[in-house]
Amino acid sequence: MTAARPAVPPDLRARVLDASRRARAAGEPIPEVPAISPAEAFSRAADALYRTLSALESAAWSRPAIRDLDVQGLVGHLTGVEDDVRRCLAGDPAVSLAGHVESTQAAAARQAGRDPAQTLAEWREAVSRTLALVAARGHDSHDGLDTCVALHGMQLPLRALLVVRAFELWVHENDIRLAAGQPLAVPGPSVLSLMTRLAATLLPGAAVRAGVPGPGRLHLVLTGPGGGTWDLEWDPERDPETASAARSGPAGVSIVADAVGFCRLVSDRMTPAELAPYITGDRDQAAGVLTAAATLALD
């Protein structure tokens, strides 16, 4: 005789999910990682890129990196970005709507024929100027970091801009590593935590701009050190800047993915298929959200 299988309560799945969400509050990474300031995250990302560049062989500087830029031109692009950040912090309105690529093209082009050591020194000096300007504003002061700034079509608090800069430095460090045949770098958990938090905050607005049908609610779980969980909402009829935190009620879609992979998706360096997330709920809506995530990339 085969023993009868015990009946499973019909609401068991819902109860387990509710208990899991209570145990892991949205936005709180598990395990906890040491908190750092956005300025420190930017500084750490710059140090990591500097180490990578300092170790490059001479021939690697002329290898193709992204767009029509070789590695040296890409570092020039990053110098141009820092120049625009400096102008932004000085209140120059010309950089508020300037194109991220177009505005930095001259800085990239002027690297042609230069000694790579000059290119590296120029970029490092530009980073130091950015850090000095942030320190002058008091990077530990909430008032200073909450000041809204405008750069390359983005309008956001200075604290968020610093995380965007850390994000871009990590992305381009990996572009350079790929060009040089080196393994990809992974941000430290404290830097990654700020990156994932920013990406989650910006995701509802990206979904609205990409035309993902709404209103929609998303339970996003990013796994690994530096990840976290977020309950998010987007609605084309509401201001995307105020629609990031979901109101009460079950999510229509749940996405579970690796935190580093998700950041690569957000930087348009990985496709949703390569990310291979675990999805429950409305799969079409999930696909729309994942596609929208890649539109946050700057390049």
Side-chain angles (χ1 to χ4, degrees):
M1 272 181 78
T2 302
R5 186 178 286 181
V8 177
D11 63 342
L12 178 61
R13 181 177 183 276
R15 283 162 38 201
V16 170
L17 288 175
D18 286 343
S20 298
R21 288 168 182 164
R22 286 195 300 271
R24 182 171 183 174
E28 296 300 323
I30 294 179
E32 292 184 12
V33 298
I36 61 173
S37 71
E40 178 63 21
F42 172 68
S43 179
R44 290 187 187 186
D47 287 345
L49 175 54
Y50 183 75
R51 288 191 294 270
T52 293
L53 293 172
S54 297
L56 285 183
E57 297 179 355
S58 297
W61 285 83
S62 60
R63 291 179 184 165
I66 63 168
R67 301 192 304 275
D68 58 347
L69 301 179
D70 59 13
V71 168
Q72 192 165 2
L74 177 53
V75 177
H77 159 74
L78 291 172
T79 299
V81 175
E82 296 308 333
D83 290 342
D84 281 1
V85 169
R86 184 175 72 253
R87 293 168 59 196
C88 163
L89 296 181
D92 184 349
V95 297
S96 61
L97 295 178
H100 183 76
V101 173
E102 295 78 7
S103 183
T104 61
Q105 189 59 34
R110 73 169 178 257
Q111 307 309 319
R114 299 181 74 188
D115 185 331
Q118 290 179 293
T119 297
L120 178 57
E122 181 182 52
W123 168 74
R124 189 63 176 175
E125 176 60 26
V127 168
S128 296
R129 287 197 301 268
T130 296
L131 287 169
L133 285 170
V134 172
R137 288 184 173 221
H139 61 74
D140 290 327
S141 164
H142 285 290
D143 290 341
L145 288 184
D146 285 336
T147 301
C148 195
V149 295
L151 175 71
H152 297 172
M154 301 178 290
Q155 189 167 344
L156 67 180
L158 177 54
R159 66 173 62 252
L161 178 62
L162 290 168
V163 180
V164 169
R165 298 296 306 116
F167 212 129
E168 184 180 15
L169 292 182
W170 168 68
V171 170
H172 288 324
E173 179 189 0
N174 279 337
D175 290 333
I176 291 165
R177 283 176 164 271
L178 283 172
Q182 298 178 9
L184 298 180
V186 175
S190 296
V191 176
L192 183 61
S193 179
L194 288 173
M195 289 167 51
T196 55
R197 192 181 299 269
L198 177 67
T201 300
L202 297 177
L203 191 54
V208 169
R209 290 189 297 273
V212 181
R217 291 178 180 173
L218 167 68
H219 184 65
L220 176 67
V221 180
L222 301 180
T223 61
T229 66
W230 292 267
D231 289 316
L232 305 170
E233 180 180 87
W234 71 96
D235 186 345
E237 301 302 319
R238 294 173 60 200
D239 180 355
E241 299 301 325
T242 63
S244 59
R247 292 168 290 188
S248 60
V253 61
S254 176
I255 297 175
V256 181
D258 172 67
V260 176
F262 185 78
C263 287
R264 292 194 66 209
L265 173 73
V266 167
S267 58
D268 201 20
R269 296 306 191 272
M270 175 179 280
T271 66
E274 291 169 326
L275 179 62
Y278 177 75
I279 297 171
T280 56
D282 189 327
R283 300 190 70 84
D284 289 339
Q285 204 168 54
V289 169
L290 293 169
T291 300
T295 66
L296 292 169
L298 292 173
D299 267 345

